[in-house]
Amino acid sequence: MKKKILLGLIALFKAVYGAFYALMKLRPLRRKVVMISRQSNKLRPDFEQIGAEIARRDHTVRIVYLCRETGDTLFERLRYGFHLLNSAAQLSTARVCIVDGYCIPVSMLKHRPELYVIQVWHALGAIKKFGKQSLSAPGGRDREIAEHMDMHRNYDCVLCASRRTAAIYQEAFGVTKDKLRVIGVPRVDAILKMDRSRCRRRFYAAYPELRGKKNVLYVPTFRDGKMPELEPVLREAEQAGVNLIVRLHPLDRERLKKHPEMPPFLECDKFGTFTLMAAADAVITDYSAISIEASLIRKPVYFYVYDLEAYAETRGLNFDPLAEMPYCASKDFGTLLDKILHEPYDFEKLEAFRREFVETCDENNVVRIVDLIFSKLDERLFAAS
C-alpha cells in the first residue's frame, strides 16, 4: 500500500514538474552550460575544472553551477524542492548540461532536442555495481520505483576513462554503445597535476606528530544502512604501530552524529581525500574507486574485503579484488598491515590494474571534454537558428 501511494505521488510530481518545465521552455535558448550535482552543497572539483577551461576559451558562455544535497531535515528537503525548480528553469534555456550522478530534472523532464546532456560520474570507475546494474540485487534500488523515477535517463554522452569502465557504464546507465566516450574525466588531470611532495610537506606541517610511523589511509565504501566496522581495524593498526587515517564516505560522515557508539579515530580533516592519498604511505580500501585514483600516482593500494561474498551477493561487484589482485587483498586487516610494513609492493601489477581502468592517463582530459562541449554548443546553436 505504501509503495502504491509513493508511486502515485511520483506520478503527480512528474506531471506538475513537467508542466512547470513546459512553461519555462517558452523562453529563448541561451549559449549556456548548466552543471548539476547532488553529491555536495559545494562546487564540485570536476565541474570547477570544466568551467575554468570553458571560461578561458570563451567568457561569453554562461556557466551555471547547481550543487545541492537532498538532505535529511524538513528544511533541507524544502530547500531541495526550490533547487529542483531552479534547475528546471536553468535547463529550459541551456544548450549543454553536465551531471555527476542521477539527476531528477535531467532524467524526469522532457527536454528540447537542442539540449545535450553529459554524464561525468563522480568516481573514476566503478568497482561495485550501481545504477541499473544492481536493480535486481537485494542491496540495489527498487526496480519499480527506479523506473517511475526514470533513473539515468536522457543522457546523450557518458564520459569514461577506459574501455572496461565504458562497458560497466553501459550497463549501469542503460545507454547504447554510441553514447560512450572514452576521452577521460577531469579528476585524472587533477590527480596527475598534484604536487605530491608539496602535499606531504603540507601534511606533516599540519600534523607533525604523525612523523616517524607509516601513515596508512583507510577509505571504506558506503554501505546502505550500516556504518563501517572501525573498532577491529583501529585495534590492528595500534598493535602494528601504524597511524591509521580514516576517511569515511561523505554520507557516512554525515551520519556520524547519529552514531555516538563509533570509536574515535584519526581523520586529518584539514585536507581533502586526494591530498591525504598523496601524503600517505599506502591506501587501504574495499570497493571504493579511490583504488583506481591512487593507482594513477603509483600509491600502494590494498583491499580489505572482509565481507566480499556478502557484498557481492547483496550489491554486486564489477571487480573482485581477491580474484584479480590477490597479492594485495585480504579479509584480514592485520595481514594487510603486515604486507605494508614488511613486504615489497608489486608495482607492475598495480600498473596493469591502472591500465584496465584509466587509458586516458594524461593531463588533457578536461581539454578533450571542453572540445566536445564547444562542438555541441555550436552544433545546437546552428540547429536552433
Side-chain angles (χ1 to χ4, degrees):
M1 184 62 181
K2 286 183 179 179
K3 187 174 176 179
K4 285 186 177 180
I5 293 172
L6 176 59
L7 295 177
L9 289 173
I10 292 172
L12 177 61
F13 170 77
K14 284 173 69 173
V16 174
Y17 198 33
F20 171 78
Y21 191 53
L23 288 173
M24 292 293 100
K25 286 190 293 182
L26 295 174
R27 300 177 300 160
L29 284 165
R30 300 184 62 181
R31 203 157 182 259
K32 180 170 70 173
V33 177
V34 176
M35 306 190 209
I36 309 176
S37 174
R38 61 188 180 92
Q39 302 301 315
S40 170
N41 292 328
K42 297 178 181 178
L43 176 59
R44 302 289 293 162
D46 289 352
F47 288 178
E48 187 174 18
Q49 289 176 264
I50 293 170
E53 178 64 14
I54 292 172
R56 187 190 68 79
R57 296 192 194 185
D58 187 347
H59 63 87
T60 66
V61 177
R62 189 176 177 212
I63 304 168
V64 179
Y65 302 105
L66 300 168
C67 301
R68 175 66 59 192
E69 290 177 312
T70 310
D72 296 321
T73 67
L74 178 59
F75 173 74
E76 288 171 331
R77 294 293 174 91
L78 287 173
R79 187 169 58 178
Y80 191 74
F82 285 107
H83 166 78
L84 290 178
L85 292 175
N86 185 35
S87 297
Q90 295 291 351
L91 276 177
S92 66
T93 59
R95 298 187 189 279
V96 175
C97 175
I98 303 170
V99 296
D100 64 353
Y102 168 67
C103 177
I104 288 174
V106 163
S107 291
M108 277 192 167
L109 296 171
K110 182 176 175 58
H111 304 294
R112 293 177 174 186
E114 292 85 5
L115 179 67
Y116 190 81
V117 178
I118 301 173
Q119 170 64 253
V120 186
W121 190 242
H122 58 266
L124 188 47
I127 301 296
K128 57 181 179 281
K129 291 190 175 182
F130 72 100
K132 295 183 179 182
Q133 283 186 309
S134 58
L135 287 181
S136 57
R141 303 292 182 189
D142 180 280
R143 182 177 294 276
E144 194 173 4
I145 292 174
E147 288 173 354
H148 276 70
M149 292 290 291
D150 297 315
M151 188 171 76
H152 296 310
R153 189 170 155 264
N154 288 333
Y155 303 148
D156 294 297
C157 167
V158 176
L159 300 182
C160 321
S162 74
R163 285 165 290 182
R164 178 167 180 171
T165 303
I168 293 168
Y169 284 0
Q170 185 174 359
E171 291 180 5
F173 297 130
V175 297
T176 53
K177 195 171 183 178
D178 60 295
K179 293 185 178 182
L180 302 164
R181 295 288 192 101
V182 185
I183 61 174
V185 292
R187 64 185 50 213
V188 174
D189 289 358
I191 293 169
L192 291 179
K193 289 177 180 178
M194 283 194 308
D195 185 334
R196 283 160 264 173
S197 297
R198 182 172 178 270
C199 288
R200 287 181 70 86
R201 288 196 302 271
R202 290 175 59 223
F203 174 78
Y204 282 119
Y207 302 102
E209 69 277 10
L210 298 184
R211 291 182 182 273
K213 292 182 180 180
K214 289 280 188 182
N215 290 296
V216 176
L217 178 63
Y218 176 45
V219 188
T221 195
F222 178 72
R223 289 167 170 79
D224 289 324
K226 61 186 292 190
M227 294 291 287
E229 297 178 3
L230 291 184
E231 258 187 74
V233 302
L234 293 171
R235 186 170 57 250
E236 293 278 6
E238 186 177 6
Q239 290 174 357
V242 164
N243 295 323
L244 189 70
I245 304 163
V246 180
R247 178 49 54 96
L248 296 178
H249 186 280
L251 293 177
D252 280 333
R253 294 181 81 183
E254 283 295 315
R255 293 194 301 176
L256 264 180
K257 62 190 79 166
K258 299 178 183 178
H259 292 269
E261 77 283 358
M262 292 286 286
F265 55 89
L266 181 62
E267 290 187 89
C268 297
D269 54 7
K270 294 179 182 178
F271 299 106
T273 303
F274 285 177
T275 300
L276 293 179
M277 177 179 76
D281 295 296
V283 173
I284 299 179
T285 185
D286 39 32
Y287 319 112
S288 168
I290 195 173
S291 55
I292 305 170
E293 293 159 352
S295 72
L296 277 173
I297 57 171
R298 290 175 58 82
K299 186 66 61 175
V301 176
Y302 297 84
F303 297 89
Y304 175 46
V305 289
Y306 65 93
D307 61 347
L308 180 70
E309 288 80 9
Y311 198 92
E313 185 178 341
T314 58
R315 182 66 181 264
L317 292 170
N318 294 309
F319 173 85
D320 181 342
L322 273 182
E324 298 195 51
M325 295 182 78
Y327 70 96
C328 62
S330 177
K331 295 182 180 181
D332 181 71
F333 200 79
T335 298
L336 295 179
L337 292 178
D338 189 63
K339 287 177 179 289
I340 291 170
L341 291 171
H342 304 297
E343 295 182 15
Y345 193 80
D346 193 333
F347 286 99
E348 286 187 11
K349 287 188 171 67
L350 181 69
E351 177 62 14
F353 169 74
R354 193 276 303 164
R355 285 196 300 268
E356 281 286 303
F357 287 98
V358 185
E359 296 174 32
T360 61
C361 193
D362 58 41
E363 297 180 10
N364 297 310
N365 289 257
V366 171
V367 169
R368 289 189 290 269
I369 293 165
V370 175
D371 284 345
L372 172 65
I373 291 169
F374 272 99
S375 74
K376 298 305 174 182
L377 275 173
D378 296 336
E379 176 185 297
R380 267 30 188 186
L381 181 64
F382 179 77
S385 61

